[in-house]
Amino acid sequence: MNSPDLGFLWLLAIPLLPYLVYVLQDVTFISGVGYILLLFITYHVIQKVVGVFKISNLDKRAVFISGCDTGFGNLLAIKCLRRGMPVFAGCLTEKGAADLRDASASHPGKLETLIVNVASDESVEAAAKYLGIATKPYGGLHGIVNNAGIVGSHFYDDMLTLDNYREVVEVNAFGVIRVTKAMKHLVKKTRGRIVAVTSICARVGLRGIGPYTVSKYAATAYCEVIRQELHHFGVSVHILEPGFFNTPMNDETLAKARMDKVWANTPETVKQEYGERFFVEGREKTISLMTKFGSPKVDLVVDAYFHALTAQFPRLRYHLGMDSKLFHGTLRVL
């Protein structure tokens, strides 16, 4: 059984804030800043201490993870297996599944790989049917990890089509909904957890990545809704909001190829409106920003996933990466 949800403790600030204003009304500005800083530090210290407590019996906590061919999903599956957890890994390709089996052969956790395309109703339904039988020894699923995602086509909206948006939303948004709806009855049985990766782009809209941003906003909204609905069943829902990390999905060569394809399919009237130079400079700037802000510390995301699955008091949201916490976080507040 999950521990009580502490996510709404911030509501205590409603009666405390007026009291704090009253207490600090005669305090100097510098002292006031000091008090606020002390409260900020105290909050984070408490959060760190509470986050240390873990659940037990990991060898009986089965999880399903989508998108395990490469990247975060692959690394999370290996980490869970290393800790002895039973893992049902959804892979898009047979090669991805075989590589994962080879990489985790020596770990104590039990691994089963499934070929799952989160953009296909039939594929997800088949996986859910199999899991309904395969998870009986564990009483159901302890966790669903919605990790599968794509970047898709990106550049200015004038150069994109509805199909460009549909392709990304089908995986990043409907994929999360499709998997969760098909499998959440297995999580209800264990009063377990649903975890989804969205993005800092679900907080701040950045130009040039419209389809991806739209899909992540949608996935976040869905998670916020079902968090409230599933609370009655003891199921908790957690969102990861990473910034830019160096994963195969953010490969520079692939990004360049995606933008070149978009430009090649752009109508001539739009090309004339923007000009070749605009596209070339925009493409190079995008790749430069990916290089500058892309963090190699992918373990931050993997550890956050694992914490959401195994902590006694997991966070409702995880902000990951310095760009997520500082740059984009500041933009969000402003």
mmCIF file of all heavy atoms in Angstrom, residues 82-121:
data_model
loop_
_atom_site.group_PDB
_atom_site.id
_atom_site.type_symbol
_atom_site.label_atom_id
_atom_site.label_comp_id
_atom_site.label_asym_id
_atom_site.label_seq_id
_atom_site.Cartn_x
_atom_site.Cartn_y
_atom_site.Cartn_z
ATOM 1 N N ARG A 82 18.721 -4.434 -11.701
ATOM 2 C CA ARG A 82 19.884 -4.502 -10.811
ATOM 3 C C ARG A 82 19.445 -4.533 -9.350
ATOM 4 O O ARG A 82 20.109 -5.117 -8.497
ATOM 5 C CB ARG A 82 20.786 -3.302 -11.074
ATOM 6 C CG ARG A 82 22.169 -3.405 -10.413
ATOM 7 C CD ARG A 82 23.010 -2.184 -10.706
ATOM 8 N NE ARG A 82 23.287 -2.066 -12.127
ATOM 9 C CZ ARG A 82 23.063 -0.980 -12.854
ATOM 10 N NH1 ARG A 82 22.528 0.094 -12.302
ATOM 11 N NH2 ARG A 82 23.368 -0.952 -14.133
ATOM 12 N N ARG A 83 18.308 -3.880 -9.052
ATOM 13 C CA ARG A 83 17.776 -3.853 -7.685
ATOM 14 C C ARG A 83 16.825 -5.015 -7.412
ATOM 15 O O ARG A 83 16.181 -5.046 -6.367
ATOM 16 C CB ARG A 83 17.058 -2.537 -7.433
ATOM 17 C CG ARG A 83 17.945 -1.306 -7.579
ATOM 18 C CD ARG A 83 19.085 -1.283 -6.583
ATOM 19 N NE ARG A 83 19.894 -0.093 -6.711
ATOM 20 C CZ ARG A 83 19.650 1.068 -6.095
ATOM 21 N NH1 ARG A 83 18.597 1.186 -5.309
ATOM 22 N NH2 ARG A 83 20.455 2.101 -6.264
ATOM 23 N N GLY A 84 16.712 -5.934 -8.359
ATOM 24 C CA GLY A 84 15.916 -7.135 -8.137
ATOM 25 C C GLY A 84 14.458 -7.030 -8.494
ATOM 26 O O GLY A 84 13.666 -7.943 -8.198
ATOM 27 N N MET A 85 14.039 -5.953 -9.152
ATOM 28 C CA MET A 85 12.623 -5.782 -9.485
ATOM 29 C C MET A 85 12.247 -6.567 -10.737
ATOM 30 O O MET A 85 13.042 -6.651 -11.680
ATOM 31 C CB MET A 85 12.308 -4.296 -9.694
ATOM 32 C CG MET A 85 12.517 -3.431 -8.476
ATOM 33 S SD MET A 85 12.124 -1.678 -8.790
ATOM 34 C CE MET A 85 10.323 -1.745 -8.870
ATOM 35 N N PRO A 86 11.040 -7.124 -10.778
ATOM 36 C CA PRO A 86 10.554 -7.748 -12.017
ATOM 37 C C PRO A 86 10.197 -6.640 -13.019
ATOM 38 O O PRO A 86 9.447 -5.720 -12.684
ATOM 39 C CB PRO A 86 9.309 -8.518 -11.576
ATOM 40 C CG PRO A 86 9.334 -8.506 -10.070
ATOM 41 C CD PRO A 86 10.095 -7.289 -9.673
ATOM 42 N N VAL A 87 10.709 -6.738 -14.231
ATOM 43 C CA VAL A 87 10.509 -5.689 -15.232
ATOM 44 C C VAL A 87 9.899 -6.274 -16.499
ATOM 45 O O VAL A 87 10.424 -7.244 -17.058
ATOM 46 C CB VAL A 87 11.841 -4.992 -15.584
ATOM 47 C CG1 VAL A 87 11.643 -4.001 -16.730
ATOM 48 C CG2 VAL A 87 12.413 -4.281 -14.357
ATOM 49 N N PHE A 88 8.808 -5.668 -16.924
ATOM 50 C CA PHE A 88 8.222 -5.954 -18.228
ATOM 51 C C PHE A 88 8.569 -4.763 -19.117
ATOM 52 O O PHE A 88 8.048 -3.659 -18.919
ATOM 53 C CB PHE A 88 6.708 -6.144 -18.115
ATOM 54 C CG PHE A 88 6.331 -7.344 -17.295
ATOM 55 C CD1 PHE A 88 6.122 -7.233 -15.931
ATOM 56 C CD2 PHE A 88 6.195 -8.594 -17.899
ATOM 57 C CE1 PHE A 88 5.779 -8.344 -15.170
ATOM 58 C CE2 PHE A 88 5.854 -9.709 -17.140
ATOM 59 C CZ PHE A 88 5.654 -9.588 -15.780
ATOM 60 N N ALA A 89 9.504 -4.970 -20.030
ATOM 61 C CA ALA A 89 10.049 -3.888 -20.828
ATOM 62 C C ALA A 89 9.401 -3.842 -22.206
ATOM 63 O O ALA A 89 9.504 -4.802 -22.977
ATOM 64 C CB ALA A 89 11.561 -4.047 -20.968
ATOM 65 N N GLY A 90 8.738 -2.751 -22.497
ATOM 66 C CA GLY A 90 8.143 -2.562 -23.809
ATOM 67 C C GLY A 90 9.159 -1.990 -24.777
ATOM 68 O O GLY A 90 9.692 -0.900 -24.557
ATOM 69 N N CYS A 91 9.457 -2.720 -25.834
ATOM 70 C CA CYS A 91 10.411 -2.273 -26.855
ATOM 71 C C CYS A 91 9.699 -2.166 -28.194
ATOM 72 O O CYS A 91 8.767 -2.921 -28.476
ATOM 73 C CB CYS A 91 11.585 -3.249 -26.966
ATOM 74 S SG CYS A 91 12.577 -3.384 -25.460
ATOM 75 N N LEU A 92 10.164 -1.261 -29.023
ATOM 76 C CA LEU A 92 9.548 -1.081 -30.335
ATOM 77 C C LEU A 92 10.080 -2.087 -31.343
ATOM 78 O O LEU A 92 9.382 -2.477 -32.272
ATOM 79 C CB LEU A 92 9.792 0.350 -30.835
ATOM 80 C CG LEU A 92 9.126 0.750 -32.150
ATOM 81 C CD1 LEU A 92 7.608 0.651 -32.045
ATOM 82 C CD2 LEU A 92 9.549 2.157 -32.551
ATOM 83 N N THR A 93 11.337 -2.548 -31.156
ATOM 84 C CA THR A 93 11.973 -3.443 -32.129
ATOM 85 C C THR A 93 12.520 -4.694 -31.450
ATOM 86 O O THR A 93 12.835 -4.682 -30.250
ATOM 87 C CB THR A 93 13.134 -2.726 -32.841
ATOM 88 O OG1 THR A 93 14.169 -2.429 -31.879
ATOM 89 C CG2 THR A 93 12.669 -1.432 -33.491
ATOM 90 N N GLU A 94 12.663 -5.741 -32.225
ATOM 91 C CA GLU A 94 13.264 -6.981 -31.713
ATOM 92 C C GLU A 94 14.726 -6.759 -31.338
ATOM 93 O O GLU A 94 15.215 -7.340 -30.369
ATOM 94 C CB GLU A 94 13.164 -8.083 -32.775
ATOM 95 C CG GLU A 94 11.749 -8.584 -33.013
ATOM 96 C CD GLU A 94 11.238 -9.462 -31.874
ATOM 97 O OE1 GLU A 94 12.007 -9.712 -30.919
ATOM 98 O OE2 GLU A 94 10.069 -9.880 -31.949
ATOM 99 N N LYS A 95 15.416 -5.921 -32.109
ATOM 100 C CA LYS A 95 16.818 -5.637 -31.811
ATOM 101 C C LYS A 95 16.952 -4.940 -30.457
ATOM 102 O O LYS A 95 17.829 -5.267 -29.650
ATOM 103 C CB LYS A 95 17.447 -4.766 -32.895
ATOM 104 C CG LYS A 95 18.931 -4.472 -32.654
ATOM 105 C CD LYS A 95 19.506 -3.578 -33.730
ATOM 106 C CE LYS A 95 21.017 -3.371 -33.531
ATOM 107 N NZ LYS A 95 21.372 -2.869 -32.195
ATOM 108 N N GLY A 96 16.072 -3.974 -30.210
ATOM 109 C CA GLY A 96 16.107 -3.277 -28.926
ATOM 110 C C GLY A 96 15.858 -4.231 -27.773
ATOM 111 O O GLY A 96 16.516 -4.157 -26.728
ATOM 112 N N ALA A 97 14.924 -5.148 -27.960
ATOM 113 C CA ALA A 97 14.619 -6.129 -26.919
ATOM 114 C C ALA A 97 15.804 -7.062 -26.677
ATOM 115 O O ALA A 97 16.156 -7.362 -25.532
ATOM 116 C CB ALA A 97 13.380 -6.929 -27.315
ATOM 117 N N ALA A 98 16.427 -7.523 -27.759
ATOM 118 C CA ALA A 98 17.571 -8.431 -27.637
ATOM 119 C C ALA A 98 18.749 -7.740 -26.959
ATOM 120 O O ALA A 98 19.429 -8.326 -26.102
ATOM 121 C CB ALA A 98 17.980 -8.937 -29.018
ATOM 122 N N ASP A 99 19.006 -6.489 -27.319
ATOM 123 C CA ASP A 99 20.108 -5.736 -26.708
ATOM 124 C C ASP A 99 19.877 -5.550 -25.214
ATOM 125 O O ASP A 99 20.819 -5.644 -24.415
ATOM 126 C CB ASP A 99 20.256 -4.369 -27.382
ATOM 127 C CG ASP A 99 20.800 -4.474 -28.798
ATOM 128 O OD1 ASP A 99 21.317 -5.553 -29.153
ATOM 129 O OD2 ASP A 99 20.707 -3.479 -29.553
ATOM 130 N N LEU A 100 18.640 -5.285 -24.833
ATOM 131 C CA LEU A 100 18.326 -5.114 -23.414
ATOM 132 C C LEU A 100 18.514 -6.420 -22.658
ATOM 133 O O LEU A 100 19.053 -6.433 -21.543
ATOM 134 C CB LEU A 100 16.891 -4.606 -23.249
ATOM 135 C CG LEU A 100 16.391 -4.447 -21.805
ATOM 136 C CD1 LEU A 100 17.278 -3.495 -21.017
ATOM 137 C CD2 LEU A 100 14.937 -3.971 -21.796
ATOM 138 N N ARG A 101 18.076 -7.519 -23.241
ATOM 139 C CA ARG A 101 18.259 -8.818 -22.578
ATOM 140 C C ARG A 101 19.741 -9.122 -22.375
ATOM 141 O O ARG A 101 20.149 -9.617 -21.316
ATOM 142 C CB ARG A 101 17.593 -9.925 -23.404
ATOM 143 C CG ARG A 101 16.072 -9.905 -23.375
ATOM 144 C CD ARG A 101 15.479 -11.199 -23.917
ATOM 145 N NE ARG A 101 15.770 -11.364 -25.345
ATOM 146 C CZ ARG A 101 14.976 -10.950 -26.328
ATOM 147 N NH1 ARG A 101 13.841 -10.337 -26.040
ATOM 148 N NH2 ARG A 101 15.298 -11.168 -27.600
ATOM 149 N N ASP A 102 20.550 -8.824 -23.367
ATOM 150 C CA ASP A 102 21.997 -9.060 -23.258
ATOM 151 C C ASP A 102 22.619 -8.181 -22.179
ATOM 152 O O ASP A 102 23.470 -8.628 -21.400
ATOM 153 C CB ASP A 102 22.679 -8.784 -24.604
ATOM 154 C CG ASP A 102 22.315 -9.811 -25.667
ATOM 155 O OD1 ASP A 102 21.840 -10.908 -25.287
ATOM 156 O OD2 ASP A 102 22.490 -9.513 -26.862
ATOM 157 N N ALA A 103 22.205 -6.904 -22.133
ATOM 158 C CA ALA A 103 22.801 -5.952 -21.195
ATOM 159 C C ALA A 103 22.430 -6.249 -19.748
ATOM 160 O O ALA A 103 23.151 -5.843 -18.823
ATOM 161 C CB ALA A 103 22.371 -4.529 -21.555
ATOM 162 N N SER A 104 21.318 -6.948 -19.528
ATOM 163 C CA SER A 104 20.837 -7.172 -18.161
ATOM 164 C C SER A 104 20.884 -8.644 -17.749
ATOM 165 O O SER A 104 20.293 -9.018 -16.732
ATOM 166 C CB SER A 104 19.400 -6.656 -18.042
ATOM 167 O OG SER A 104 18.564 -7.298 -18.980
ATOM 168 N N ALA A 105 21.589 -9.448 -18.502
ATOM 169 C CA ALA A 105 21.584 -10.899 -18.253
ATOM 170 C C ALA A 105 22.083 -11.264 -16.860
ATOM 171 O O ALA A 105 21.639 -12.257 -16.276
ATOM 172 C CB ALA A 105 22.417 -11.604 -19.320
ATOM 173 N N SER A 106 23.008 -10.482 -16.311
ATOM 174 C CA SER A 106 23.619 -10.839 -15.023
ATOM 175 C C SER A 106 22.898 -10.234 -13.823
ATOM 176 O O SER A 106 23.307 -10.445 -12.677
ATOM 177 C CB SER A 106 25.082 -10.371 -15.006
ATOM 178 O OG SER A 106 25.158 -8.958 -15.150
ATOM 179 N N HIS A 107 21.824 -9.492 -14.045
ATOM 180 C CA HIS A 107 21.144 -8.823 -12.934
ATOM 181 C C HIS A 107 20.104 -9.740 -12.297
ATOM 182 O O HIS A 107 19.514 -10.600 -12.971
ATOM 183 C CB HIS A 107 20.492 -7.531 -13.416
ATOM 184 C CG HIS A 107 21.480 -6.543 -13.980
ATOM 185 N ND1 HIS A 107 22.717 -6.333 -13.417
ATOM 186 C CD2 HIS A 107 21.412 -5.702 -15.053
ATOM 187 C CE1 HIS A 107 23.375 -5.420 -14.106
ATOM 188 N NE2 HIS A 107 22.613 -5.027 -15.108
ATOM 189 N N PRO A 108 19.838 -9.549 -10.986
ATOM 190 C CA PRO A 108 18.954 -10.469 -10.269
ATOM 191 C C PRO A 108 17.474 -10.350 -10.625
ATOM 192 O O PRO A 108 16.720 -11.299 -10.460
ATOM 193 C CB PRO A 108 19.182 -10.111 -8.801
ATOM 194 C CG PRO A 108 19.662 -8.689 -8.828
ATOM 195 C CD PRO A 108 20.468 -8.565 -10.078
ATOM 196 N N GLY A 109 17.037 -9.193 -11.079
ATOM 197 C CA GLY A 109 15.624 -9.013 -11.398
ATOM 198 C C GLY A 109 15.204 -9.820 -12.613
ATOM 199 O O GLY A 109 15.999 -10.085 -13.515
ATOM 200 N N LYS A 110 13.926 -10.185 -12.645
ATOM 201 C CA LYS A 110 13.396 -10.961 -13.769
ATOM 202 C C LYS A 110 12.944 -10.016 -14.882
ATOM 203 O O LYS A 110 12.167 -9.090 -14.650
ATOM 204 C CB LYS A 110 12.216 -11.822 -13.307
ATOM 205 C CG LYS A 110 11.628 -12.693 -14.415
ATOM 206 C CD LYS A 110 10.434 -13.495 -13.918
ATOM 207 C CE LYS A 110 9.821 -14.323 -15.045
ATOM 208 N NZ LYS A 110 8.643 -15.099 -14.596
ATOM 209 N N LEU A 111 13.435 -10.254 -16.104
ATOM 210 C CA LEU A 111 13.105 -9.411 -17.251
ATOM 211 C C LEU A 111 12.266 -10.176 -18.263
ATOM 212 O O LEU A 111 12.569 -11.316 -18.611
ATOM 213 C CB LEU A 111 14.376 -8.918 -17.937
ATOM 214 C CG LEU A 111 14.187 -8.216 -19.292
ATOM 215 C CD1 LEU A 111 13.467 -6.879 -19.107
ATOM 216 C CD2 LEU A 111 15.531 -8.018 -19.994
ATOM 217 N N GLU A 112 11.197 -9.530 -18.712
ATOM 218 C CA GLU A 112 10.448 -10.012 -19.868
ATOM 219 C C GLU A 112 10.303 -8.846 -20.830
ATOM 220 O O GLU A 112 9.888 -7.751 -20.429
ATOM 221 C CB GLU A 112 9.066 -10.530 -19.459
ATOM 222 C CG GLU A 112 9.102 -11.863 -18.716
ATOM 223 C CD GLU A 112 7.727 -12.516 -18.646
ATOM 224 O OE1 GLU A 112 7.078 -12.601 -19.715
ATOM 225 O OE2 GLU A 112 7.317 -12.904 -17.541
ATOM 226 N N THR A 113 10.645 -9.068 -22.090
ATOM 227 C CA THR A 113 10.518 -8.012 -23.087
ATOM 228 C C THR A 113 9.267 -8.246 -23.935
ATOM 229 O O THR A 113 8.942 -9.393 -24.276
ATOM 230 C CB THR A 113 11.749 -7.960 -24.004
ATOM 231 O OG1 THR A 113 11.955 -9.248 -24.602
ATOM 232 C CG2 THR A 113 12.992 -7.565 -23.223
ATOM 233 N N LEU A 114 8.595 -7.160 -24.247
ATOM 234 C CA LEU A 114 7.397 -7.209 -25.082
ATOM 235 C C LEU A 114 7.592 -6.221 -26.226
ATOM 236 O O LEU A 114 8.117 -5.128 -26.029
ATOM 237 C CB LEU A 114 6.149 -6.808 -24.301
ATOM 238 C CG LEU A 114 5.662 -7.673 -23.133
ATOM 239 C CD1 LEU A 114 6.506 -7.451 -21.893
ATOM 240 C CD2 LEU A 114 4.209 -7.326 -22.822
ATOM 241 N N ILE A 115 7.180 -6.594 -27.409
ATOM 242 C CA ILE A 115 7.200 -5.659 -28.532
ATOM 243 C C ILE A 115 5.910 -4.847 -28.467
ATOM 244 O O ILE A 115 4.816 -5.378 -28.643
ATOM 245 C CB ILE A 115 7.309 -6.395 -29.879
ATOM 246 C CG1 ILE A 115 8.582 -7.257 -29.893
ATOM 247 C CG2 ILE A 115 7.342 -5.393 -31.027
ATOM 248 C CD1 ILE A 115 9.877 -6.495 -29.657
ATOM 249 N N VAL A 116 6.067 -3.562 -28.177
ATOM 250 C CA VAL A 116 4.905 -2.689 -27.981
ATOM 251 C C VAL A 116 5.095 -1.386 -28.752
ATOM 252 O O VAL A 116 6.107 -0.694 -28.590
ATOM 253 C CB VAL A 116 4.702 -2.349 -26.482
ATOM 254 C CG1 VAL A 116 3.470 -1.463 -26.306
ATOM 255 C CG2 VAL A 116 4.576 -3.609 -25.655
ATOM 256 N N ASN A 117 4.128 -1.063 -29.563
ATOM 257 C CA ASN A 117 4.066 0.219 -30.251
ATOM 258 C C ASN A 117 2.969 1.039 -29.578
ATOM 259 O O ASN A 117 1.783 0.750 -29.744
ATOM 260 C CB ASN A 117 3.767 0.028 -31.737
ATOM 261 C CG ASN A 117 3.647 1.335 -32.492
ATOM 262 O OD1 ASN A 117 3.835 2.422 -31.929
ATOM 263 N ND2 ASN A 117 3.329 1.268 -33.770
ATOM 264 N N VAL A 118 3.345 2.056 -28.818
ATOM 265 C CA VAL A 118 2.363 2.804 -28.027
ATOM 266 C C VAL A 118 1.410 3.608 -28.904
ATOM 267 O O VAL A 118 0.405 4.132 -28.409
ATOM 268 C CB VAL A 118 3.051 3.736 -27.007
ATOM 269 C CG1 VAL A 118 3.918 2.937 -26.052
ATOM 270 C CG2 VAL A 118 3.858 4.826 -27.702
ATOM 271 N N ALA A 119 1.704 3.711 -30.209
ATOM 272 C CA ALA A 119 0.819 4.418 -31.136
ATOM 273 C C ALA A 119 -0.227 3.495 -31.748
ATOM 274 O O ALA A 119 -1.030 3.935 -32.563
ATOM 275 C CB ALA A 119 1.634 5.077 -32.246
ATOM 276 N N SER A 120 -0.228 2.229 -31.333
ATOM 277 C CA SER A 120 -1.155 1.244 -31.893
ATOM 278 C C SER A 120 -2.084 0.691 -30.815
ATOM 279 O O SER A 120 -1.618 0.146 -29.802
ATOM 280 C CB SER A 120 -0.365 0.085 -32.524
ATOM 281 O OG SER A 120 -1.186 -1.034 -32.759
ATOM 282 N N ASP A 121 -3.389 0.821 -31.032
ATOM 283 C CA ASP A 121 -4.363 0.265 -30.088
ATOM 284 C C ASP A 121 -4.187 -1.242 -29.936
ATOM 285 O O ASP A 121 -4.198 -1.774 -28.824
ATOM 286 C CB ASP A 121 -5.792 0.544 -30.573
ATOM 287 C CG ASP A 121 -6.157 2.019 -30.514
ATOM 288 O OD1 ASP A 121 -5.455 2.777 -29.830
ATOM 289 O OD2 ASP A 121 -7.162 2.397 -31.146
#
